[in-house]
Coordinates of all heavy atoms in Angstrom, one line a residue:
M429 N 0.8 -1.2 0.0 CA 0.0 0.0 0.0 C 0.9 1.3 0.0 O 0.5 2.3 -0.5 CB -0.9 0.0 1.2 CG -2.0 1.0 1.2 SD -3.1 0.7 -0.3 CE -4.6 1.0 0.4
K430 N 2.1 1.2 0.6 CA 2.9 2.3 0.6 C 3.3 2.8 -0.8 O 3.3 4.0 -1.1 CB 4.2 2.0 1.3 CG 4.1 2.0 2.8 CD 5.4 1.7 3.5 CE 5.3 1.6 5.0 NZ 6.6 1.5 5.6
E431 N 3.5 1.9 -1.8 CA 3.8 2.3 -3.1 C 2.6 3.0 -3.8 O 2.9 4.0 -4.5 CB 4.2 1.0 -4.0 CG 5.5 0.5 -3.6 CD 6.7 1.5 -3.9 OE1 6.7 2.1 -5.0 OE2 7.5 1.6 -3.0
I432 N 1.4 2.6 -3.5 CA 0.3 3.3 -4.1 C 0.2 4.7 -3.5 O -0.1 5.6 -4.2 CB -1.0 2.4 -3.8 CG1 -1.0 1.2 -4.6 CG2 -2.3 3.3 -4.1 CD1 -2.1 0.2 -4.3
D433 N 0.3 4.8 -2.2 CA 0.3 6.1 -1.6 C 1.4 7.0 -2.1 O 1.2 8.2 -2.4 CB 0.4 6.0 0.0 CG -0.8 5.3 0.6 OD1 -1.8 5.3 0.0 OD2 -0.6 4.8 1.7
R434 N 2.6 6.5 -2.3 CA 3.7 7.2 -2.9 C 3.4 7.7 -4.3 O 3.6 8.8 -4.7 CB 5.0 6.4 -2.8 CG 6.2 7.1 -3.2 CD 7.4 6.3 -2.9 NE 8.5 6.8 -3.7 CZ 8.9 6.2 -4.9 NH1 8.3 5.2 -5.3 NH2 9.9 6.8 -5.5
A435 N 2.9 6.8 -5.1 CA 2.5 7.1 -6.5 C 1.4 8.2 -6.5 O 1.5 9.1 -7.3 CB 2.0 5.9 -7.2
A436 N 0.5 8.1 -5.7 CA -0.6 9.1 -5.6 C 0.0 10.5 -5.2 O -0.4 11.5 -5.8 CB -1.7 8.7 -4.6
S437 N 0.9 10.5 -4.3 CA 1.5 11.7 -3.8 C 2.3 12.3 -5.0 O 2.3 13.6 -5.2 CB 2.4 11.4 -2.6 OG 3.1 12.6 -2.2
I438 N 3.1 11.5 -5.7 CA 3.9 12.0 -6.8 C 2.9 12.6 -7.9 O 3.2 13.7 -8.4 CB 4.8 10.9 -7.4 CG1 5.9 10.6 -6.4 CG2 5.4 11.3 -8.7 CD1 6.6 9.3 -6.8
F439 N 1.9 11.9 -8.2 CA 0.9 12.4 -9.2 C 0.3 13.7 -8.8 O 0.2 14.6 -9.5 CB -0.2 11.3 -9.4 CG -1.2 11.7 -10.4 CD1 -1.0 11.8 -11.7 CD2 -2.5 12.2 -9.9 CE1 -2.0 12.2 -12.6 CE2 -3.5 12.6 -10.7 CZ -3.2 12.6 -12.1
L440 N -0.2 13.8 -7.5 CA -0.8 15.0 -7.1 C 0.1 16.2 -7.1 O -0.3 17.3 -7.4 CB -1.4 14.8 -5.7 CG -2.7 13.9 -5.6 CD1 -3.1 13.6 -4.2 CD2 -3.8 14.4 -6.4
R441 N 1.4 16.0 -6.7 CA 2.3 17.1 -6.7 C 2.5 17.5 -8.1 O 2.6 18.7 -8.4 CB 3.6 16.6 -6.1 CG 3.6 16.7 -4.5 CD 5.0 16.6 -3.9 NE 5.8 15.5 -4.4 CZ 5.8 14.3 -3.8 NH1 5.1 14.1 -2.7 NH2 6.6 13.3 -4.2
A442 N 2.6 16.6 -9.1 CA 2.8 17.0 -10.5 C 1.6 17.8 -11.0 O 1.7 18.8 -11.7 CB 3.0 15.7 -11.3
V443 N 0.4 17.4 -10.6 CA -0.8 18.1 -11.0 C -0.9 19.5 -10.4 O -1.1 20.4 -11.1 CB -2.1 17.3 -10.6 CG1 -3.4 18.1 -10.7 CG2 -2.2 16.0 -11.5
L444 N -0.5 19.6 -9.2 CA -0.5 20.9 -8.5 C 0.5 21.8 -9.1 O 0.2 23.0 -9.3 CB -0.4 20.8 -7.0 CG -1.5 20.1 -6.3 CD1 -1.1 19.8 -4.8 CD2 -2.8 21.0 -6.3
R445 N 1.7 21.3 -9.4 CA 2.7 22.1 -10.1 C 2.3 22.6 -11.4 O 2.4 23.8 -11.8 CB 4.0 21.3 -10.3 CG 5.1 21.5 -9.2 CD 6.4 20.9 -9.6 NE 6.3 19.5 -10.2 CZ 6.4 18.4 -9.4 NH1 6.5 18.5 -8.1 NH2 6.4 17.2 -9.9
R446 N 1.6 21.7 -12.2 CA 1.2 22.1 -13.5 C 0.0 23.1 -13.4 O 0.0 24.0 -14.3 CB 0.7 20.8 -14.3 CG 0.3 21.1 -15.7 CD 1.5 21.6 -16.5 NE 1.0 21.7 -17.9 CZ 1.6 22.4 -18.8 NH1 2.8 23.0 -18.6 NH2 1.1 22.4 -20.0
M447 N -0.9 22.9 -12.5 CA -1.9 23.9 -12.3 C -1.3 25.3 -12.0 O -1.7 26.3 -12.6 CB -2.8 23.5 -11.1 CG -3.8 22.4 -11.5 SD -4.7 21.9 -10.0 CE -5.7 23.3 -9.7
K448 N -0.3 25.3 -11.2 CA 0.4 26.6 -10.9 C 1.0 27.2 -12.1 O 0.9 28.4 -12.4 CB 1.4 26.4 -9.8 CG 2.1 27.7 -9.3 CD 3.0 27.4 -8.2 CE 3.7 28.7 -7.8 NZ 4.7 28.5 -6.7
D449 N 1.7 26.3 -12.9 CA 2.4 26.8 -14.1 C 1.4 27.4 -15.1 O 1.7 28.3 -15.8 CB 3.1 25.6 -14.8 CG 4.4 25.1 -14.0 OD1 4.8 25.8 -13.1 OD2 4.9 24.0 -14.3
L450 N 0.2 26.8 -15.2 CA -0.8 27.3 -16.1 C -1.7 28.4 -15.5 O -2.5 28.9 -16.2 CB -1.7 26.1 -16.6 CG -1.0 25.0 -17.4 CD1 -1.9 23.9 -17.7 CD2 -0.4 25.6 -18.7
G451 N -1.5 28.6 -14.2 CA -2.3 29.6 -13.6 C -3.8 29.2 -13.5 O -4.7 30.0 -13.5
L452 N -4.0 27.9 -13.2 CA -5.4 27.4 -13.1 C -5.8 27.2 -11.7 O -4.9 26.8 -10.9 CB -5.5 26.0 -13.8 CG -5.3 26.0 -15.3 CD1 -5.3 24.5 -15.8 CD2 -6.3 26.8 -16.0
N453 N -7.0 27.4 -11.4 CA -7.5 27.1 -10.1 C -8.4 25.8 -10.2 O -8.5 25.3 -11.3 CB -8.3 28.3 -9.5 CG -9.5 28.7 -10.4 OD1 -10.0 27.9 -11.1 ND2 -9.9 29.9 -10.2
Q454 N -8.9 25.4 -9.1 CA -9.7 24.1 -9.2 C -11.0 24.2 -10.0 O -11.3 23.3 -10.7 CB -10.1 23.7 -7.8 CG -8.9 23.3 -6.9 CD -9.2 23.0 -5.5 OE1 -10.3 22.9 -5.1 NE2 -8.2 22.8 -4.7
T455 N -11.6 25.4 -10.1 CA -12.8 25.6 -10.9 C -12.5 25.5 -12.3 O -13.2 24.8 -13.1 CB -13.4 27.0 -10.5 OG1 -13.7 27.0 -9.1 CG2 -14.7 27.2 -11.4
S456 N -11.4 26.1 -12.8 CA -11.0 26.1 -14.2 C -10.5 24.7 -14.6 O -10.8 24.2 -15.7 CB -10.0 27.2 -14.6 OG -9.0 27.3 -13.7
L457 N -9.9 24.0 -13.7 CA -9.5 22.6 -14.0 C -10.7 21.7 -14.1 O -10.8 20.9 -15.1 CB -8.5 22.1 -12.9 CG -8.1 20.6 -13.1 CD1 -7.4 20.3 -14.4 CD2 -7.2 20.2 -11.9
A458 N -11.6 21.9 -13.2 CA -12.9 21.1 -13.3 C -13.6 21.4 -14.6 O -14.1 20.4 -15.2 CB -13.8 21.5 -12.1
A459 N -13.6 22.6 -15.1 CA -14.3 22.9 -16.3 C -13.6 22.2 -17.5 O -14.2 21.7 -18.4 CB -14.3 24.4 -16.5
R460 N -12.2 22.2 -17.5 CA -11.5 21.6 -18.5 C -11.7 20.1 -18.5 O -11.6 19.4 -19.6 CB -10.0 21.8 -18.3 CG -9.5 23.1 -18.7 CD -8.0 23.2 -18.5 NE -7.5 24.5 -19.0 CZ -6.3 24.6 -19.5 NH1 -5.4 23.6 -19.6 NH2 -5.9 25.8 -19.9
M461 N -12.0 19.5 -17.4 CA -12.2 18.1 -17.2 C -13.7 17.7 -17.4 O -14.0 16.5 -17.5 CB -11.8 17.6 -15.9 CG -10.3 17.7 -15.7 SD -9.8 17.1 -14.0 CE -10.5 15.4 -14.0
N462 N -14.6 18.7 -17.5 CA -16.0 18.4 -17.5 C -16.4 17.6 -16.2 O -17.1 16.6 -16.3 CB -16.5 17.7 -18.7 CG -18.0 17.8 -18.9 OD1 -18.6 18.7 -18.4 ND2 -18.5 16.8 -19.6
A463 N -15.8 18.1 -15.1 CA -16.1 17.5 -13.8 C -16.5 18.6 -12.8 O -16.4 19.7 -13.1 CB -14.8 16.8 -13.3
S464 N -17.0 18.1 -11.7 CA -17.5 19.1 -10.7 C -16.2 19.6 -9.9 O -15.3 18.9 -9.7 CB -18.5 18.6 -9.7 OG -17.9 17.6 -8.9
R465 N -16.3 20.9 -9.5 CA -15.2 21.4 -8.7 C -15.1 20.7 -7.3 O -14.0 20.4 -6.9 CB -15.4 22.9 -8.4 CG -14.2 23.5 -7.7 CD -14.5 24.8 -7.0 NE -15.6 24.8 -6.1 CZ -15.7 24.2 -4.9 NH1 -14.6 23.6 -4.4 NH2 -16.8 24.2 -4.2
P466 N -16.2 20.3 -6.7 CA -16.1 19.5 -5.4 C -15.3 18.2 -5.6 O -14.5 17.8 -4.8 CB -17.5 19.3 -4.9 CG -18.2 20.5 -5.5 CD -17.6 20.7 -6.9
Y467 N -15.5 17.6 -6.8 CA -14.8 16.3 -7.0 C -13.3 16.6 -7.2 O -12.5 15.9 -6.6 CB -15.4 15.6 -8.2 CG -14.6 14.3 -8.6 CD1 -14.7 13.2 -7.8 CD2 -13.8 14.3 -9.7 CE1 -14.0 12.1 -8.1 CE2 -13.1 13.2 -10.0 CZ -13.2 12.1 -9.2 OH -12.5 10.9 -9.5
V468 N -13.0 17.6 -8.0 CA -11.6 17.9 -8.2 C -10.9 18.3 -6.9 O -9.8 17.8 -6.6 CB -11.5 19.1 -9.2 CG1 -10.1 19.6 -9.3 CG2 -11.9 18.6 -10.6
T469 N -11.6 19.0 -6.1 CA -11.1 19.4 -4.7 C -10.8 18.1 -3.9 O -9.7 18.0 -3.3 CB -12.1 20.3 -4.0 OG1 -12.2 21.5 -4.8 CG2 -11.6 20.6 -2.6
K470 N -11.7 17.2 -3.9 CA -11.6 15.9 -3.1 C -10.4 15.1 -3.7 O -9.6 14.6 -2.9 CB -12.8 15.0 -3.2 CG -14.0 15.5 -2.4 CD -15.2 14.6 -2.6 CE -16.3 15.2 -1.8 NZ -17.5 14.4 -2.0
V471 N -10.2 15.1 -5.0 CA -9.0 14.4 -5.6 C -7.7 15.1 -5.1 O -6.8 14.4 -4.7 CB -9.1 14.3 -7.1 CG1 -7.8 13.8 -7.7 CG2 -10.3 13.4 -7.5
L472 N -7.7 16.4 -5.3 CA -6.5 17.1 -5.0 C -6.1 17.1 -3.5 O -5.0 17.2 -3.1 CB -6.6 18.6 -5.5 CG -6.7 18.7 -7.0 CD1 -6.9 20.2 -7.4 CD2 -5.5 18.1 -7.7
N473 N -7.1 16.9 -2.7 CA -6.9 16.8 -1.2 C -6.5 15.4 -0.8 O -6.3 15.1 0.4 CB -8.1 17.3 -0.4 CG -8.3 18.8 -0.4 OD1 -7.3 19.5 -0.7 ND2 -9.5 19.2 -0.3
G474 N -6.6 14.5 -1.8 CA -6.4 13.1 -1.5 C -7.5 12.4 -0.7 O -7.3 11.3 -0.1
D475 N -8.7 12.9 -0.8 CA -9.8 12.4 -0.1 C -10.5 11.2 -0.8 O -11.3 10.5 -0.2 CB -10.9 13.5 0.2 CG -10.3 14.5 1.2 OD1 -9.4 14.2 1.9 OD2 -10.8 15.7 1.1
V476 N -10.2 11.1 -2.1 CA -10.8 10.0 -2.9 C -9.7 9.3 -3.7 O -8.8 10.0 -4.1 CB -12.0 10.5 -3.8 CG1 -13.1 11.0 -3.0 CG2 -11.5 11.5 -4.8
S477 N -9.9 8.1 -3.9 CA -9.0 7.3 -4.8 C -9.5 7.5 -6.2 O -10.7 7.6 -6.5 CB -9.0 5.8 -4.5 OG -8.5 5.6 -3.2
I478 N -8.5 7.6 -7.1 CA -8.9 7.7 -8.5 C -8.5 6.6 -9.4 O -7.5 5.9 -9.0 CB -8.4 9.1 -9.1 CG1 -6.9 9.1 -9.1 CG2 -9.0 10.2 -8.4 CD1 -6.3 10.3 -9.8
T479 N -9.1 6.4 -10.5 CA -8.7 5.3 -11.4 C -7.6 5.9 -12.4 O -7.4 7.1 -12.4 CB -9.9 4.9 -12.3 OG1 -10.3 6.0 -13.1 CG2 -11.0 4.3 -11.4
L480 N -7.0 5.0 -13.1 CA -6.0 5.5 -14.1 C -6.7 6.3 -15.2 O -6.2 7.3 -15.7 CB -5.3 4.3 -14.8 CG -4.3 3.5 -13.9 CD1 -3.8 2.3 -14.6 CD2 -3.2 4.5 -13.5
R481 N -8.0 6.0 -15.5 CA -8.7 6.8 -16.4 C -8.9 8.2 -15.9 O -8.7 9.1 -16.7 CB -10.1 6.1 -16.7 CG -10.9 6.8 -17.8 CD -12.2 6.1 -18.1 NE -12.1 4.7 -18.3 CZ -11.8 4.2 -19.5 NH1 -11.6 4.9 -20.6 NH2 -11.7 2.9 -19.7
T482 N -9.2 8.3 -14.7 CA -9.4 9.7 -14.1 C -8.1 10.4 -14.1 O -8.0 11.6 -14.4 CB -10.0 9.6 -12.7 OG1 -11.3 9.0 -12.8 CG2 -10.2 11.0 -12.1
A483 N -7.0 9.7 -13.7 CA -5.7 10.3 -13.7 C -5.3 10.8 -15.1 O -4.8 11.9 -15.3 CB -4.6 9.4 -13.2
S484 N -5.7 10.0 -16.1 CA -5.5 10.4 -17.5 C -6.3 11.7 -17.9 O -5.8 12.5 -18.6 CB -5.8 9.2 -18.4 OG -5.7 9.6 -19.8
R485 N -7.5 11.8 -17.4 CA -8.3 13.0 -17.6 C -7.6 14.2 -17.0 O -7.6 15.3 -17.6 CB -9.7 12.8 -17.0 CG -10.6 11.9 -17.8 CD -11.9 11.7 -17.2 NE -12.7 13.0 -17.2 CZ -13.6 13.3 -16.3 NH1 -14.0 12.4 -15.4 NH2 -14.2 14.4 -16.4
F486 N -7.1 14.1 -15.8 CA -6.4 15.2 -15.2 C -5.2 15.6 -16.1 O -5.0 16.8 -16.4 CB -5.9 14.8 -13.8 CG -6.8 15.1 -12.7 CD1 -7.8 14.2 -12.4 CD2 -6.8 16.3 -12.0 CE1 -8.7 14.4 -11.3 CE2 -7.6 16.6 -10.9 CZ -8.6 15.6 -10.6
A487 N -4.4 14.6 -16.5 CA -3.2 14.9 -17.3 C -3.7 15.6 -18.7 O -3.0 16.5 -19.1 CB -2.5 13.6 -17.6
K488 N -4.7 15.1 -19.3 CA -5.1 15.6 -20.5 C -5.6 17.1 -20.4 O -5.3 18.0 -21.1 CB -6.3 14.8 -21.1 CG -6.7 15.3 -22.5 CD -7.8 14.4 -23.1 CE -8.3 14.9 -24.4 NZ -9.3 14.1 -25.0
A489 N -6.4 17.3 -19.3 CA -6.9 18.7 -19.0 C -5.7 19.7 -18.8 O -5.8 20.8 -19.0 CB -7.8 18.7 -17.8
L490 N -4.6 19.1 -18.2 CA -3.4 20.0 -17.9 C -2.4 19.9 -19.0 O -1.3 20.4 -18.8 CB -2.9 19.5 -16.6 CG -3.8 19.8 -15.4 CD1 -3.3 19.0 -14.2 CD2 -3.9 21.3 -15.1
Q491 N -2.7 19.3 -20.1 CA -1.8 19.2 -21.3 C -0.5 18.6 -20.8 O 0.6 19.1 -21.1 CB -1.6 20.5 -21.9 CG -2.9 21.1 -22.4 CD -2.8 22.6 -22.7 OE1 -1.9 23.3 -22.2 NE2 -3.7 23.1 -23.5
M492 N -0.6 17.5 -20.1 CA 0.6 16.8 -19.6 C 0.7 15.4 -20.2 O -0.3 14.8 -20.6 CB 0.5 16.5 -18.0 CG 0.4 17.8 -17.2 SD -0.1 17.4 -15.5 CE 1.5 16.7 -14.9
D493 N 1.9 14.9 -20.3 CA 2.1 13.5 -20.8 C 1.8 12.6 -19.6 O 2.3 12.8 -18.5 CB 3.6 13.4 -21.1 CG 3.8 12.8 -22.5 OD1 2.9 12.5 -23.2 OD2 5.0 12.8 -22.9
F494 N 0.9 11.7 -19.8 CA 0.4 10.9 -18.8 C 1.4 9.8 -18.4 O 1.6 9.6 -17.2 CB -0.9 10.2 -19.2 CG -1.5 9.3 -18.1 CD1 -1.8 9.8 -16.9 CD2 -1.7 8.0 -18.4 CE1 -2.4 8.9 -15.9 CE2 -2.3 7.1 -17.5 CZ -2.6 7.6 -16.2
L495 N 2.0 9.1 -19.3 CA 2.8 7.9 -19.0 C 4.0 8.3 -18.1 O 4.3 7.6 -17.2 CB 3.3 7.2 -20.3 CG 2.1 6.5 -21.0 CD1 2.6 5.8 -22.2 CD2 1.5 5.5 -20.1
P496 N 4.7 9.4 -18.3 CA 5.8 9.7 -17.4 C 5.4 9.9 -16.0 O 6.2 9.8 -15.1 CB 6.4 11.0 -18.0 CG 6.1 11.0 -19.4 CD 4.7 10.3 -19.5
L497 N 4.1 10.3 -15.8 CA 3.6 10.5 -14.4 C 3.5 9.1 -13.7 O 3.5 9.1 -12.5 CB 2.2 11.1 -14.4 CG 2.2 12.6 -14.9 CD1 0.8 13.1 -15.0 CD2 3.0 13.5 -14.0
L498 N 3.5 8.1 -14.5 CA 3.4 6.7 -13.9 C 4.8 6.2 -13.5 O 4.9 5.2 -12.8 CB 2.7 5.7 -14.8 CG 1.3 6.1 -15.2 CD1 0.7 5.1 -16.1 CD2 0.4 6.2 -13.9
T499 N 5.9 6.8 -14.0 CA 7.2 6.4 -13.7 C 7.7 7.1 -12.5 O 7.6 8.4 -12.4 CB 8.1 6.8 -14.9 OG1 7.6 6.2 -16.1 CG2 9.5 6.3 -14.7
P500 N 8.2 6.4 -11.5 CA 8.7 7.1 -10.3 C 9.8 8.1 -10.6 O 10.7 7.9 -11.4 CB 9.3 5.9 -9.5 CG 8.7 4.7 -10.0 CD 8.4 5.0 -11.4
Q501 N 9.6 9.3 -10.1 CA 10.5 10.4 -10.3 C 11.4 10.6 -9.2 O 12.4 11.4 -9.3 CB 9.7 11.7 -10.6 CG 8.7 11.7 -11.7 CD 9.4 11.5 -13.0 OE1 10.4 12.2 -13.3 NE2 9.0 10.6 -13.9
E502 N 11.1 10.1 -8.0 CA 11.8 10.3 -6.8 C 12.3 8.9 -6.3 O 11.6 7.9 -6.4 CB 11.0 10.9 -5.8 CG 10.4 12.2 -6.2 CD 9.4 12.8 -5.3 OE1 9.1 12.1 -4.3 OE2 8.8 13.8 -5.5
K503 N 13.5 8.9 -5.8 CA 14.0 7.6 -5.2 C 13.6 7.6 -3.7 O 13.8 8.6 -3.0 CB 15.5 7.6 -5.3 CG 16.0 7.6 -6.7 CD 16.1 6.2 -7.2 CE 16.7 6.1 -8.6 NZ 16.6 4.9 -9.2
A504 N 13.1 6.5 -3.3 CA 12.8 6.3 -1.9 C 14.1 6.0 -1.1 O 15.0 5.5 -1.7 CB 11.8 5.2 -1.7
P505 N 14.1 6.4 0.1 CA 15.4 6.1 0.9 C 15.6 4.6 0.9 O 14.6 3.8 1.0 CB 15.0 6.6 2.3 CG 13.8 7.4 2.2 CD 13.1 7.1 0.9
A506 N 16.8 4.2 0.9 CA 17.2 2.8 0.9 C 16.7 2.2 2.2 O 16.9 2.7 3.3 CB 18.7 2.6 0.8
N507 N 16.1 1.0 2.1 CA 15.6 0.3 3.3 C 16.1 -1.2 3.1 O 15.5 -1.9 2.2 CB 14.1 0.4 3.4 CG 13.6 -0.4 4.6 OD1 14.3 -1.1 5.2 ND2 12.3 -0.2 4.8
P508 N 17.1 -1.6 3.8 CA 17.6 -3.0 3.6 C 16.6 -4.1 3.8 O 16.7 -5.2 3.3 CB 18.8 -3.1 4.6 CG 18.6 -2.0 5.5 CD 17.8 -0.9 4.9
E509 N 15.5 -3.8 4.6 CA 14.5 -4.8 4.8 C 13.4 -4.8 3.8 O 12.6 -5.7 3.8 CB 13.9 -4.6 6.2 CG 14.9 -4.7 7.3 CD 14.3 -4.4 8.7 OE1 13.1 -4.5 8.8 OE2 15.1 -4.1 9.6
A510 N 13.4 -3.8 2.9 CA 12.3 -3.7 1.9 C 12.6 -4.7 0.8 O 13.7 -5.0 0.5 CB 12.3 -2.3 1.3
P511 N 11.5 -5.3 0.2 CA 11.7 -6.2 -0.9 C 12.3 -5.5 -2.1 O 12.1 -4.3 -2.2 CB 10.3 -6.7 -1.1 CG 9.4 -5.7 -0.5 CD 10.1 -5.1 0.6
A512 N 13.0 -6.2 -2.9 CA 13.6 -5.7 -4.1 C 12.5 -5.2 -5.1 O 11.4 -5.8 -5.1 CB 14.5 -6.7 -4.8
P513 N 12.7 -4.1 -5.8 CA 11.6 -3.7 -6.8 C 11.4 -4.7 -7.9 O 12.4 -5.4 -8.2 CB 12.2 -2.4 -7.3 CG 13.6 -2.2 -6.8 CD 13.8 -3.3 -5.8
V514 N 10.2 -4.7 -8.4 CA 9.9 -5.6 -9.4 C 9.6 -4.8 -10.7 O 8.7 -3.9 -10.6 CB 8.7 -6.5 -9.0 CG1 8.3 -7.4 -10.2 CG2 9.0 -7.3 -7.8
D515 N 10.2 -5.1 -11.8 CA 9.9 -4.5 -13.1 C 8.7 -5.2 -13.7 O 8.7 -6.5 -13.8 CB 11.1 -4.6 -14.0 CG 12.2 -3.6 -13.6 OD1 11.9 -2.6 -13.0 OD2 13.3 -4.0 -13.9
L516 N 7.7 -4.5 -14.1 CA 6.5 -5.1 -14.7 C 6.5 -4.9 -16.2 O 6.9 -4.0 -16.7 CB 5.2 -4.4 -14.1 CG 5.1 -4.6 -12.6 CD1 3.8 -3.9 -12.1 CD2 5.0 -6.1 -12.3

């Protein structure tokens, strides 16, 4: 579950950075996504889990490449007790 939480955190930081770069607020992002502002707010606050399809909608609305967002951009601290990463 830690990997999922980490991936969600990386994704949300990328979305927030891009919103800032584009000068978008939650209302304008919601309009671009054809979604409600309360839903976008819940996603950005981490209050709801999203599907890959929804993550793709966020990326498209923000004119972002979606696939690089799925690639870890940050290295986790080394943990000798952690299992080795698995390439899928």
Side-chain angles (χ1 to χ4, degrees):
M429 194 61 141
K430 285 183 181 182
E431 287 299 313
I432 291 172
D433 292 340
R434 186 170 160 261
S437 177
I438 291 168
F439 176 76
L440 288 175
R441 282 196 305 269
V443 165
L444 292 170
R445 260 193 314 271
R446 184 65 175 162
M447 286 174 65
K448 183 177 179 182
D449 291 346
L450 295 175
L452 295 176
N453 60 25
Q454 293 176 7
T455 301
S456 46
L457 176 58
R460 285 181 175 213
M461 292 178 60
N462 195 27
S464 72
R465 188 203 46 79
Y467 176 71
V468 169
T469 299
K470 286 179 184 179
V471 170
L472 295 177
N473 287 336
D475 294 336
V476 295
S477 296
I478 60 172
T479 64
L480 288 175
R481 184 177 309 274
T482 300
S484 176
R485 286 179 62 205
F486 271 85
K488 183 177 179 181
L490 293 167
Q491 302 164 337
M492 299 170 74
D493 233 355
F494 178 61
L495 291 178
L497 294 175
L498 299 178
T499 305
Q501 302 294 316
E502 303 170 358
K503 297 270 185 193
N507 179 352
E509 297 178 20
V514 177
D515 289 330
L516 300 177

